[in-house]
Amino acid sequence: MGTHNYNLTEQFEFTGKAKTLSIIAIVIGIAAIGFGFSKESLHERTFANLLLMAYYFACVCMSGAFFLAVQFVAQAGWSASILRVPEAMAKVLPIAVVILLVVIGLGLYSHNLYHHWHAEGLTDPNSENYDKLIDGKSSFLNVPFFMGRQIVFLTIYSIFAYYLAKWSNNEDLEGGLNSYRKSFKYSCIFLVIYGFTTPIFAFDTVMSLEAHWFSTMFGWYNFAAMWVSSLAAIAIILILLRKAGYMSWVNNSHLHNLGQFIFGFSIFWTYVWFAQFMLIYYANIPEETVYFYNRWENYEFWWYLNLILNFLSPVLLLMDRDNKRQENILLAVSIVVLCGHWVDYYQMIMPGAVKKGENGFGFIEIGTAVGFVGLFTFTVLRALSKKPLIAKNHPFLQESLNHHL
């Protein structure tokens, strides 16, 4: 199978149903958020849903840049022909970053988010609200340092994402290996920075919602979730593009590789989840077990659904080799995984962000999720339509076009 069979200038046209449906979804999301803010009693719950989806949106796009960096550092050949999809996700990262920072900033300002450590008097020994534990963490959990870390980390991720996409475009225009060497060099740097900072980013954004609780594994638990979610998003976009008549060079072996990644990292996510749970359950220390007690008391259904969607479903459905190679099965599993990690983030965020008795599930949750799915679809597909769907001068393109497992 040679390159003469493929149109290496093929470009995606973002029109028709995909564009219309994504805009409709965004409108539904705006309506849900507007409904939440129309009632004062729902403000906290609305902010929690905004944080959930803004965090999810940013994590998937961040992991798109991470996917690119991993491929460059590994000098992987199999993925050379599909890199335009994670590139489009990386290009959208600055938009996701701005949204997340706005949600966090407004949540702090309005005291609808992070109120466990941001309320008045918690660090004042003379106040009746004084909290010794929060006071001990106040050098880390204070608004200037907290927002500073968020801005620095997310800006760094966005800069690397921008340049990885830019150098890929330069490679198309100029040829040669100069852009590829830059991508390799700076991907090495990015992976080191990303590896050290994403756990802190997860500690800040999600774990500090419940500042009395702490888990050293929480960062890697979140890393596994964001990575497997990104892999599922890449698989969904590739399969739908292939079904629409684009990217004919993507074969069952490419799908097999993505299926292996989703299968493997779903098991890794479960391993970290179980390790965190087992140690806390076995130690039976009240200040740690309260985390799971709150979830069993008010979110038990979601707690078990989380395991079914994120462990049992991908493992059982992708265990068979042939299933990884069938686009309809991989598409279904990828959708389940994306929904599953929404459930994962829901039961991570809601108990710490919403007061007991004010939690719920309805139009706010569904509408906000639909809105962000629409926003992700619109921005990523729009970015994807700006360049040809294949990096024609990638040094390993021939290996990818002839990839066979």
Side-chain angles (χ1 to χ4, degrees), residues 158-192:
S158 297
I159 290 170
F160 276 100
Y162 169 79
Y163 278 105
L164 288 176
K166 181 184 177 182
W167 289 324
S168 176
N169 189 47
N170 289 348
E171 189 177 66
D172 272 7
L173 298 174
E174 301 166 4
L177 290 173
N178 187 46
S179 294
Y180 183 82
R181 290 194 184 104
K182 285 182 180 178
S183 297
F184 175 83
K185 177 183 175 181
Y186 287 98
S187 290
C188 293
I189 298 169
F190 173 61
L191 290 183
V192 173

Side-chain angles (χ1 to χ4, degrees), residues 23-288:
I23 293 171
I24 292 171
I26 292 169
V27 172
I28 292 170
I30 293 170
I33 295 163
F35 171 73
F37 284 130
S38 68
K39 297 182 179 181
E40 192 173 343
S41 61
L42 297 175
H43 283 192
E44 206 172 72
R45 185 172 147 196
T46 305
F47 262 107
N49 278 283
L50 281 170
L51 178 66
L52 191 165
M53 289 310 303
Y55 179 67
Y56 201 175
F57 185 20
C59 285
V60 170
C61 293
M62 280 162 46
S63 296
F66 178 74
F67 183 94
L68 292 174
V70 168
Q71 304 312 307
F72 285 126
V73 171
Q75 297 188 358
W78 74 272
S79 59
S81 64
I82 66 169
L83 291 180
R84 286 293 189 245
V85 172
E87 273 178 31
M89 292 159 61
K91 281 183 180 180
V92 171
L93 180 56
I95 297 171
V97 162
V98 170
I99 292 171
L100 179 58
L101 289 174
V102 168
V103 170
I104 291 172
L106 291 176
L108 282 166
Y109 178 76
S110 64
H111 288 266
N112 282 298
L113 290 173
Y114 308 104
H115 41 69
H116 287 282
W117 57 267
H118 187 45
E120 293 182 8
L122 292 174
T123 58
D124 181 4
N126 299 316
S127 171
E128 61 180 11
N129 294 326
Y130 177 69
D131 189 315
K132 186 177 179 181
L133 189 62
I134 298 299
D135 188 27
K137 296 181 178 182
S138 60
S139 59
F140 189 81
L141 291 180
N142 60 79
V143 174
F145 191 30
F146 178 88
M147 285 303 297
R149 290 193 302 274
Q150 291 280 347
I151 292 167
V152 169
F153 292 162
L154 291 170
T155 301
I156 290 171
Y157 302 155
S158 297
I159 290 170
F160 276 100
Y162 169 79
Y163 278 105
L164 288 176
K166 181 184 177 182
W167 289 324
S168 176
N169 189 47
N170 289 348
E171 189 177 66
D172 272 7
L173 298 174
E174 301 166 4
L177 290 173
N178 187 46
S179 294
Y180 183 82
R181 290 194 184 104
K182 285 182 180 178
S183 297
F184 175 83
K185 177 183 175 181
Y186 287 98
S187 290
C188 293
I189 298 169
F190 173 61
L191 290 183
V192 173
I193 295 170
Y194 192 84
F196 278 105
T197 58
T198 45
I200 304 171
F201 171 65
F203 292 162
D204 282 344
T205 314
V206 181
M207 194 167 73
S208 64
L209 289 165
E210 297 174 87
H212 287 97
W213 179 75
F214 183 78
S215 167
T216 54
M217 285 178 283
F218 192 81
W220 300 113
Y221 170 48
N222 272 258
F223 167 78
M226 65 177 76
W227 175 229
V228 79
S229 299
S230 182
L231 292 168
I234 292 168
I236 289 169
I237 295 169
L238 281 174
I239 292 168
L240 292 180
L241 284 172
R242 200 165 83 148
K243 284 178 175 287
Y246 295 99
M247 300 184 82
S248 58
W249 53 82
V250 176
N251 59 44
N252 291 347
S253 293
H254 294 105
L255 299 182
H256 186 119
N257 281 106
L258 286 170
Q260 284 178 315
F261 274 126
I262 294 169
F263 176 81
F265 280 98
S266 291
I267 294 174
F268 175 69
W269 172 88
T270 311
Y271 161 72
V272 181
W273 178 94
F274 179 74
Q276 177 178 268
F277 169 73
M278 181 193 69
L279 291 173
I280 291 172
Y281 184 86
Y282 186 78
N284 201 27
I285 301 171
E287 58 266 32
E288 292 186 352

